[in-house]
Amino acid sequence: ALKLANLFSPGQADIVAELGQAYFQNKKFTEAEKMFLLAIEEKPHDYSLLCNVAGAQMELKKYEDAEQALKQADKIKPEDKEILMSLGTLYLTTKKFHKAEKTLIKAYTIDREDIRIMHLASIALAKNKKYDQAKSILEKAYRNNPNDLYLKRDLGAAYIYTYQYQKAKEFLLQVTEKLPDDLLTLIHLGNALLGNANYSEAEIVFRNAKKLDPKNLTILSGLGVALTWQKKFDDAEKELNLANKYEKGDPFILNNLGSLYMARGEYSRALEILLNAYQINKKEGTLHSNLANVYYSLGDNKKALNHIRIGLELMPHNEEIKRNYNIILGVSKDTLTITPIIMKLK
């Protein structure tokens, strides 16, 4: 019926926009974009039309066009939480995490009770490694919505990031009872179990997750770590090499592969792999801790001390790195701890 209307005559912007909505709902995003742009020609200051065309453009991955449309909408109607939320989502999608955080926190100051904004703002904060702030927002959101399983899942992940592994385990086990095949829940649970040193349980969880997504790097890496700590070195090497095959040179996987060779006592081989990871990412605290461990084991205390200090600067709250620092410094006589990465950030 809309197609039969005289769409291109003056005064028909509303009908054109409705047709655009119909196309959008039917996932015909190219046609939807065309209709919204036609409507905007007649109503260039209609912020809702600008938001609609941005939505179609995001689906078409025309991110620059979508950003311009949303910025224009924001100028027309500033301080609108829906526009800011859409813009923040766009920045998350395009991995502009600092812009996402700034935009979504602005939306959060407008409405501190909107669960959608709270959830998105917490993701942006976590992406910028502001885990305590992300956890604080998620805890508030969860108190207001205790039956939201996906919110509970993400809060469980936040507890992992802030080293509250037991709490993370409790939350995520409750989620798996309701969502047994949710891949992200299984990954987070596996990581929480690793943090709690429940390695055999973590292996089972990661193997179940692998059935759902056999090429997932985080799953393969987590499974490799679980196997390493159970001294199943050959199986661990197989999983970690498989992960490295799918994404050659990923510093997080290389760190865990280096951890495997350290655990097996192959320090020279571990050093070669860890140095490769170091060339790619020099700001990962656990990597510096492992380099310190290797150098210390090879008798190079000067390099060991340098790397453990950098690791502690980067991750001042990591108990394993603190422990290694005291050992290398000579304060403690304990055995150095290998520090694999149990959650691969992407």
Side-chain angles (χ1 to χ4, degrees), residues 281-311:
N281 183 2
K282 298 182 179 181
K283 294 186 177 181
E284 174 54 52
T286 51
L287 177 56
H288 281 283
S289 180
N290 282 337
L291 278 168
N293 191 330
V294 171
Y295 280 124
Y296 187 79
S297 300
L298 293 172
D300 193 335
N301 291 358
K302 185 177 179 180
K303 286 185 178 178
L305 189 58
N306 179 54
H307 278 289
I308 200 64
R309 280 175 173 164
I310 296 172

Side-chain angles (χ1 to χ4, degrees), residues 199-318:
Y199 303 124
S200 60
E201 294 175 52
E203 180 189 349
I204 293 168
V205 170
F206 280 124
R207 287 199 184 280
N208 287 335
K210 188 180 175 183
K211 293 175 185 175
L212 299 173
D213 190 354
K215 293 185 178 181
N216 185 293
L217 301 178
T218 306
I219 294 168
L220 294 171
S221 184
L223 180 56
V225 172
L227 292 164
T228 296
W229 286 118
Q230 295 177 81
K231 298 185 178 180
K232 299 178 181 179
F233 297 130
D234 290 343
D235 289 342
E237 187 175 23
K238 177 183 174 183
E239 299 298 338
L240 291 168
N241 278 330
L242 192 59
N244 193 41
K245 175 185 174 183
Y246 291 141
E247 190 161 336
K248 193 75 174 176
D250 184 290
F252 300 103
I253 294 169
L254 291 175
N255 180 80
N256 290 347
L257 196 54
S259 297
L260 161 67
Y261 293 125
M262 288 167 64
R264 205 154 65 177
E266 299 178 28
Y267 294 110
S268 296
R269 191 173 184 184
L271 179 60
E272 180 184 352
I273 290 170
L274 291 171
L275 285 174
N276 286 336
Y278 175 68
Q279 293 304 315
I280 300 166
N281 183 2
K282 298 182 179 181
K283 294 186 177 181
E284 174 54 52
T286 51
L287 177 56
H288 281 283
S289 180
N290 282 337
L291 278 168
N293 191 330
V294 171
Y295 280 124
Y296 187 79
S297 300
L298 293 172
D300 193 335
N301 291 358
K302 185 177 179 180
K303 286 185 178 178
L305 189 58
N306 179 54
H307 278 289
I308 200 64
R309 280 175 173 164
I310 296 172
L312 194 58
E313 287 174 8
L314 292 169
M315 301 179 75
H317 303 298
N318 187 297

Side-chain angles (χ1 to χ4, degrees), residues 61-277:
K61 298 184 179 180
K62 295 182 176 181
Y63 297 125
E64 290 184 7
D65 291 341
E67 182 179 359
Q68 291 305 313
L70 288 169
K71 282 183 174 179
Q72 184 63 28
D74 184 48
K75 287 180 182 178
I76 295 167
K77 193 179 182 187
E79 307 296 317
D80 182 89
K81 70 174 186 178
E82 298 293 338
I83 296 172
L84 291 170
M85 189 166 56
S86 296
L87 192 54
T89 301
L90 170 66
Y91 288 140
L92 284 175
T93 303
T94 53
K95 299 184 179 181
K96 298 177 181 178
F97 298 129
H98 292 291
K99 285 187 175 182
E101 178 190 338
K102 182 179 178 180
T103 304
L104 291 164
I105 290 298
K106 185 177 179 181
Y108 180 57
T109 59
I110 296 169
D111 188 346
R112 293 179 177 272
E113 302 299 325
D114 190 313
I115 184 68
R116 301 167 303 159
I117 295 173
M118 295 167 84
H119 209 162
L120 289 168
S122 70
I123 293 171
L125 287 164
K127 290 293 185 182
N128 289 317
K129 298 189 177 183
K130 297 180 180 179
Y131 303 124
D132 287 319
Q133 290 174 255
K135 182 186 72 173
S136 178
I137 291 177
L138 281 170
E139 284 178 329
K140 180 183 176 183
Y142 178 67
R143 284 195 297 271
N144 295 339
N145 300 270
N147 296 319
D148 188 324
L149 291 173
Y150 296 103
L151 186 59
K152 192 170 188 175
R153 177 193 68 189
D154 288 356
L155 180 54
Y159 286 134
I160 297 172
Y161 282 121
T162 52
Y163 309 112
Q164 295 172 270
Y165 298 120
Q166 183 59 36
K167 204 166 186 178
K169 176 183 173 181
E170 292 169 3
F171 268 63
L172 293 163
L173 280 172
Q174 291 171 22
V175 177
T176 53
E177 290 178 5
K178 303 288 186 181
L179 301 171
D181 294 322
D182 182 69
L183 186 63
L184 202 51
T185 302
L186 290 173
I187 291 172
H188 291 326
L189 178 58
N191 286 324
L193 291 166
L194 287 179
N196 278 294
N198 304 131
Y199 303 124
S200 60
E201 294 175 52
E203 180 189 349
I204 293 168
V205 170
F206 280 124
R207 287 199 184 280
N208 287 335
K210 188 180 175 183
K211 293 175 185 175
L212 299 173
D213 190 354
K215 293 185 178 181
N216 185 293
L217 301 178
T218 306
I219 294 168
L220 294 171
S221 184
L223 180 56
V225 172
L227 292 164
T228 296
W229 286 118
Q230 295 177 81
K231 298 185 178 180
K232 299 178 181 179
F233 297 130
D234 290 343
D235 289 342
E237 187 175 23
K238 177 183 174 183
E239 299 298 338
L240 291 168
N241 278 330
L242 192 59
N244 193 41
K245 175 185 174 183
Y246 291 141
E247 190 161 336
K248 193 75 174 176
D250 184 290
F252 300 103
I253 294 169
L254 291 175
N255 180 80
N256 290 347
L257 196 54
S259 297
L260 161 67
Y261 293 125
M262 288 167 64
R264 205 154 65 177
E266 299 178 28
Y267 294 110
S268 296
R269 191 173 184 184
L271 179 60
E272 180 184 352
I273 290 170
L274 291 171
L275 285 174
N276 286 336

